[in-house]
Amino acid sequence: MESLMIVLVGILVTVATYLILSRSVIRVIVGTAILSHAVHLLLLTVGGLKKGSVPLLGQAAAPFTDALPQALILTAIVISFAVTAFLLVLAYRMYLMNGTDDLEELGGSSDE
Amino acid sequence: MIVTLSIVLPFIAAALIPFIYRYFKNIHLGWFVLVVPVVLFSFLATYIPRVANGEVFVKTFEWIPSFGINITTYLDGLSMIFSLLITGVGSLVILYSIFYLSTKESLHHFYCYLLLFMGAMLGVVLSDNLMVLYVFWELTSVSSFLLIAFWHHRKASRAGARKAMTITVSGGVAMLAGFLMLYVASGTFSIREIVANLEVVQSSVYFVPAMCLVLLGAFTKSAQFPFHIWLPDAMEAPTPVSAYLHSATMVKAGIYLVARTTPIFGGHEVWFWAVSGVGLLTLFWGSFNAVKQFDLKALLAYSTISQLGLIMCLFGLGSAALHSGYSTESVIYTQATFAALFHLINHSTFKGALFMMVGIVDHEVGTRDIRRLGGLMSLMPFTFTIAVIGSASMAGLPPFNGFLSKEMFFTATLKITELDLFSLNSIGVLFPIIAWVASIFTFIYCVIIVMRTFFGKIQPDRLEKPPHEAPFGMLISPYILVAFVVGIFIFPNVLGHYILSPAMASIYPMFPSVEDMTPHIAAWHGHINPELIMTAGVIIIGVLLYRVLKKWRPIYQLIPPSFTLNALYERVITSGEDVSGRVTNRYMNGNLTYYFVYIYVFFVALLAGYMIYADAFSWDPSKDSVIEPYELVLVFVMIMAAVAIIFAKQRITVVLLNGVLGYSVAFFFVVFRAPDLALTQLVVESVTTALFLLSFKYLPKLKNEYLPKSWRFAKVTISIAVGATVTLIGLAVMNYDRFEPISKYFEDSYNLAGGQNIVNTILGDFRAFDTMLEVVVLFIAGLGIYTLIKLKAKKGDADVESK
Amino acid sequence: MLGQFIINLFIATLWFLLKDDPMADFTTFMSGFLVGTLILYAMHRFFGTQFYLRRVLKIIKLILLFIQELLLSSISVLKQVLDPQLKITPGIFIYETKLRGDYQVTALALLLTLTPGSVVMEVSEDNSTFYIHAMDIEESKETVIRSIGKFERAILEVTQ
Amino acid sequence: MNVNQLIELMAALLILVGAIVSVISAFGMIRLPDVYTRSHAATKSATLSVLLCLFGGFVYFWIHDGYVSIRLILGIIFVFITAPVSGHLVCRAAYRSRVPLAEGSGDDALNEILFGEENIQVKEEVEATLKEIKE
Amino acid sequence: MKVNDVILKSVVRGVVFIVFTLGMYLFFAGHNAPGGGFIGGLVLGSGIVLLYLTYDIETVHKGMPFDFKKVAAFGVLLATGSAIASLFFNVPFLTQADGYYNLPLLGEKHLSTVTIFEAGVALTVVGTLVTIILNISEDE
Amino acid sequence: MNNIIVLPLIVPIITATLLVFLNNNIKLQRIVSLITMIFVACISVVLLQLIQTEGILRLDFSGWMPPFGILFVADSFSVLLVLTASIVTAVCLIYAFSTIGERHEKMYFYPFVLFLIAGVNGSFLTGDIFNLFVCFEVMLLASYVLIALGGGKMQLRESIKYVLINVVASWMFLVALAYLYGTLKTLNMAHIAQRVAEAGQDPLLTVVSLTFLVVFGLKAGLLLFFWLPGSYSVPPTAVQALFAALLTKVGMYALFRTFMLMFPLQPEITHTIIGVMAGATIIAGCMGAFAGRDVRTIATYNVIISVGFILVALAVGTEDAMAGAVYYLVHDMLGKALLFLLIGTMILVTGEVVVKNMNGLIRIYPLFGWIFFIMMCALVGIPPLSGFIGKVLIGQGAIETESYVLLALAFGSSIIVMYSLLRIFLASFFGETSINEEDKMPIPRGAMASFIILAIFIIGLGVGAEGLAVYVNDAAYTLSNPSVYIDAILNTNK
Amino acid sequence: MIDLILKAALVLFMLAIALSLYRVIKGPSLPDRAIALDTIGVNLISAIAIVSIVLNTKAFLEAILILGILAFIGTIAFSKYIERGVIVERKSAD
Ligand code: NA
Ligand code: NA
């Protein structure tokens, strides 16, 4: 299962990268969202899968699955949520001001 | 201590300038400033006898002792020559400037820079610590920059200042690297200590590189070929500055450095050839180019270059003496060095006088162009006298000091051909030949100075002002210098004994006898020697060539203007700027997609590249847990959803599919025993989707992205490469189990932290700090969003700062 | 009535939660529910309505009705889905209801939606008219209109 | 096999039935002709399947662990109440956003009331919108 | 014809209490079962969002007249404050105190400053979540 | 137990949060934020002293022993950076008081700055790699807001690029963390170092370290600086200065920690790669600065050059070079802040951004002009200003390891730095004045004050380099002897 | 036996999700996608319930309820988006 998950992560990363290389800001943002899915799965997988029970002391018996990656992922989820939320608002404010969400049209150095 | 004070005094004075300037508006600021060099000169002069006796004065103040950087002042014979020059010529120049510069100029700036320069220059010649020397060295460049740009409203001043600063600071940087190599090799920044432990330095790998770098510094500062190009442009500075910095003192800092480091590097073949060769080339090139100048100051600038080349060349020749150590034979070659020191002083006297002469001409008639000048002899007789004496001395004619040193120079070049070293016996003959040719050109331009300015017809309509003799005050300084020109010719050996000999001792510290190295200077050696014949030849051929100057002048046009070193420098700069600009704009095109491509390509190249290079990949699925069929289906669902996102045409589809992925991830969290994660992921995913929907109100619909085939291919390749890299490393990481996870510790969470939910105790206790900051992150995002939306820029709401 | 029940439910839930006891189970909840019932019974006069447990039977009846409808409707949908012919004529029809109260209308709408082959699409502003989408308008219209009276009665029984 | 195990098995079977219902209704989601008919499949069969499942789970935990899960009960109630609301809302939204009924649909009592006046004026607009939605 | 949301509103009126209760439950359950400040806060926030979805900003604001960004700020203060309190007791930063206390009516309870910390977390989450959604909705 | 270590992070956070409640009282906001920064600076000084007497300090949060809990570690390196960051921030705040305008101030400018500095300080102090990620995010989120603050057209355009690149960078950070945890199964930096040493840094661990190299390279602007020029030219001047002073430094700090502490055992691979990257960065920065005609462009590419310069020290890796890097980091924070403040002010008073369109400023604003000149000399490394000693020590390190190419690039870059800044100085400060004495826009007093303070620091750091030498040497010693750090964390029982 | 049945049921649910995914991708209308996503959510509820039995844990039972709530909220949000383009209204319609 671990190998399969890693491959899945790789595929998600591939898709996300493809999206990130798009011109439309929306696609890029979705790409970053997929990236975070991928990395959360990666973090979970490196901690080992199905190697123990749910890390709740009262409800299951040892061995427990590695709880630390879970805590890390939780933090990462919240942070990535915060960033995505900000990014979305930034994206549409940017669109409203600049009239385009096409990264190619948004090019041009800052010197203008 | 007092030596140290002599460095500090100019700086203190410079700091006081603004106050003096404010309170004594009626008195020319120069009078106050004049006190400084005069006091310093007199004070240093009192040390002459003791230094001549071989005493040295050392004093150390700690500056950055932790890194061996201390202010050690060191007064010996060599420093003495330069200190006297700096303060002596300094006094005269300041005196001259009092009459030259009107009180309408921003004198407080001028004198402030000048004093800074003086202090810095004294610092260079009086420092023993290489780093401190470097400090003052750069300070001379900076103050020179400020002085050249004194009339900074003129474009040429700014350009000249920039060029001078760029070239000299570049050289300084190289020199710094050289100094650091010396430090690394020797473990000390003290020149004396390095000289005392020469073997260590000379045997280190850094020896030759350090030598070359130090020479770069010296050559740029002393305007040696091909770095001389800054000096003519530096003539944009007020003439007192030209006289002081760009002829008498600063440009001689490079000479000083060569002299100072001769004990370290001298004797090495590279040093010999570099110093003498570059010097010789510069000598020739400067004199050759001086002839074609129309601006008197430019002519003097090339002349200075040429003369500096001469001195440099002599130091190079003199260094040969160090090759085989002390012997009666090798001592002969030290005479080149002696000649160098001698000419150094002579040059300062006659060139200083000449510059002041040109300044007077410029000041009184308003032009320095020899095509507009002429016939001033009768109107400006005193000035004429200065010109004649100075030029004659420079041309190497008796009865002036230039004659003596020029003869000694010829002697040295002739001697060196006899040396069976550095393959000198074959190509060494170039030295006397080139020296002689250069002297001819020198003679010609000296004639030009005198003839074109003072003889011929006067052209009043082409002059800015009606010509008349300079005020008395302006003549004092040049006349003092002229007096030295003559005086030294008459009493050369006083100078030799008190000033030059002690300096020889500094340059050849390992040679026991100073007396051996102090030749008797005489204008007439009692017989006609080759040197005299050479001089005669110079005069004859020089006069002839001057007469037919018009005929051969066109040879200067043979080199098209675009092939001059100056043009090359400009071209390097402009094309450098051009290429840099185009390259930079090409890859920094503002298109984020490109930036991502760079980043991803680097990511893949570095990580996958190293994985393959180091053969770090390994994969062992045997330890994997089993794959349940439903997991397989879910993986399939996720892959489908992910791939479908790429092809989705509507933004809502994209977001919903992302939601599917998120929910699937949540389900994996369930399957892999992560309840807290599953809960959080579910809510967060839903909220994220909601946020997408909310912001779609303001965002455009997705457009079809047209992509050229090659670009699409590149995108696909990069994406797959990134995914593959992540997977490859991930698989290898999964197969790496050398260590026990630290999380076993947390399984005692109930006893340690009073909670049964291990993940929650980690978040709330073991790693509560992360959680606390994560809350902060969330809050910043929320507040940021509020700010973006509620406090946005309104149309026409001009920002104070935005342009 | 619904209010009373919900309050009771919450009292029970609160009871259950406040126990915060790893051993807590359904019996804890039931005891909480019982406590709530007692409280409510003691206080039901303040609500100005009859004690709700009387209605419970009727509610259960209603719920059973719900479940029954759900089962039937699902089966009918599944049948249609699996029918290789897929011979349906969807459409939208109108139904005028007697019910007016928000909760009544809601309950009816939910029921109707769970009824085989129909989904309430719109309710008119005065809560009087339902616009119902039928999977197969021929068949559903009859079924719906036949059962709708039943529903209205059941709801009225509970709410009045 | 004791009674408990039998009940557990029954629960599992209940779940299996739910799963089958779910697949069929998902199949319906693909097969049925328009969004309205598909919403029938979603709101009814899918709801049934989840209720069966949750009920199965509830029974299982009750029998197996003696654990009466309030959360499952709440879940059942919640789904039970909200599923029809969802169906109603989506259908309404679909209709109001002018997703057309499947071809061959019968009466459309709502059309006149909702779009009566605008129908003629905005006919072209509607078509444009439809195009956009359908792409 | 105007939209008649009677069905939605009626159902939500009941359902939202389930959501809030669940949120509170998750908040308190966190230490021993899945849940905690984050999830609790998220669910509570979702409940509020549900209200906003069903009703409208004005109506909900009447019922909950909070400035949610200040709620969030208060949450941050609570979380950091509970952490910084340790400074005054000369124990390492963030040290949580806990113990069993006999409280009137509630009996012996396990109380921990973690709860204050978690409450801060929850408030921040609620405040931020609602701030974000409200502001985006109100933008024009 | 040294609770004082957490103050540089927690105090700004708490005051920032409190300021949210005081949004309408701008005066109070100013005072509070300034006091906060001064307080943090004082705390850093105290910490610096403590470290000299007691060695490396650590604070185990909640009292959990390393490697299990999160901890803050204060060694001379980190605290010096905290101190400088606080000073720079305080100065930028002073600048902001008089220039940024009430509209920005009401946009929670001060809280965001305080959050930024909290994140920066946290990044310097943390001893836990995942916590480093979180601190980065605190800093980044604040920077996201600050760059977009005011919401101008160009600002938003550049900020979205900045945010997107950083989101990808953060993702890479998480990937790196996943690999790290997958291999070493720990997060404590000292523990990582210990385990790496135990495993002998085999190839896979080097791959992990290279993943971090990409991440921190992105943050530091090491070769992957594409985000930098655009995003540094759009926000308000005070923010630009803060960014220039702080953002890349955090990445550089992390690189030093990664390759001097955690993964130091394969220098022939890692440090060589860093060297190549640093060299390329210098070249790219030089090209940009050399060609620049816009003052902001010149300034931003100067930032890039200094990134390469400082990381030459890391590539070289000797103790001398470490000392040089520390000096240079401190210098560069001060110098770059001043550069951006000055340039922003130039734009403010002239309304122009292109060098040749500004003339003769020094006649109207003499002090301003001379401070620019001093700053320029300092950035070039002209002694005795602040850039000098760092440059010397880094050069020394490069020579010791015979890295001549790096030496040439590093030292050569200072010529380009000079050339590019000289272009500004000669064209914009020197020359004829195009502004009348009457029409001139006065430079606000607060702005002048901030320049003077920074100029004093720059001169002071150069002339008084010895004053810092003890701390710098200690920092360099700790950096080049990872066991000191590891022992302080893992092998003592406090 | 029970385990086998449950896992078979899980596979079926996953299949149902896959089929719904088809609807999400295919559309054609927005409401179609919304319904499909809702169905996926509902099916996940069942799947989580089954996994809870398989893993014999009660840890995920909250997830069930939460998922129910979220699916509901999500559907409301979608239908409002589809119907009005606005999810949260500033003022009540009446
Ligand atoms: Na995300
Ligand atoms: Na920077």
Side-chain angles (χ1 to χ4, degrees), chain A residues 29-30 32-37 40 76-77 79-85, chain B residues 658 684-685 688, chain F residues 167:
Chain A
I29 295 177
V30 173
T32 63
I34 297 174
L35 277 186
S36 55
H37 294 325
H40 298 156
I77 289 177
I79 288 175
S80 113
F81 165 71
V83 173
T84 307
Chain B
N658 179 52
V684 165
E685 198 54 44
T688 307
Chain F
V167 168

Side-chain angles (χ1 to χ4, degrees), chain A residues 1-3 50 57 66 74, chain B residues 624-626 631 743 756 763:
Chain A
M1 192 66 213
E2 281 85 346
S3 301
K50 307 186 192 172
L57 294 179
D66 194 342
L74 205 67
Chain B
D624 281 10
S625 46
V626 285
E631 292 167 342
S743 35
Q756 292 180 321
L763 288 168

Side-chain angles (χ1 to χ4, degrees), chain B residues 439-465:
Chain B
S439 298
I440 294 172
F441 285 113
T442 308
F443 183 84
I444 296 171
Y445 69 68
C446 289
V447 175
I448 291 176
I449 295 171
V450 177
M451 299 300 285
R452 291 297 191 87
T453 315
F454 296 97
F455 291 88
K457 262 193 293 188
I458 185 163
Q459 315 169 57
D461 49 324
R462 297 188 69 184
L463 302 176
E464 305 285 325
K465 305 178 201 168

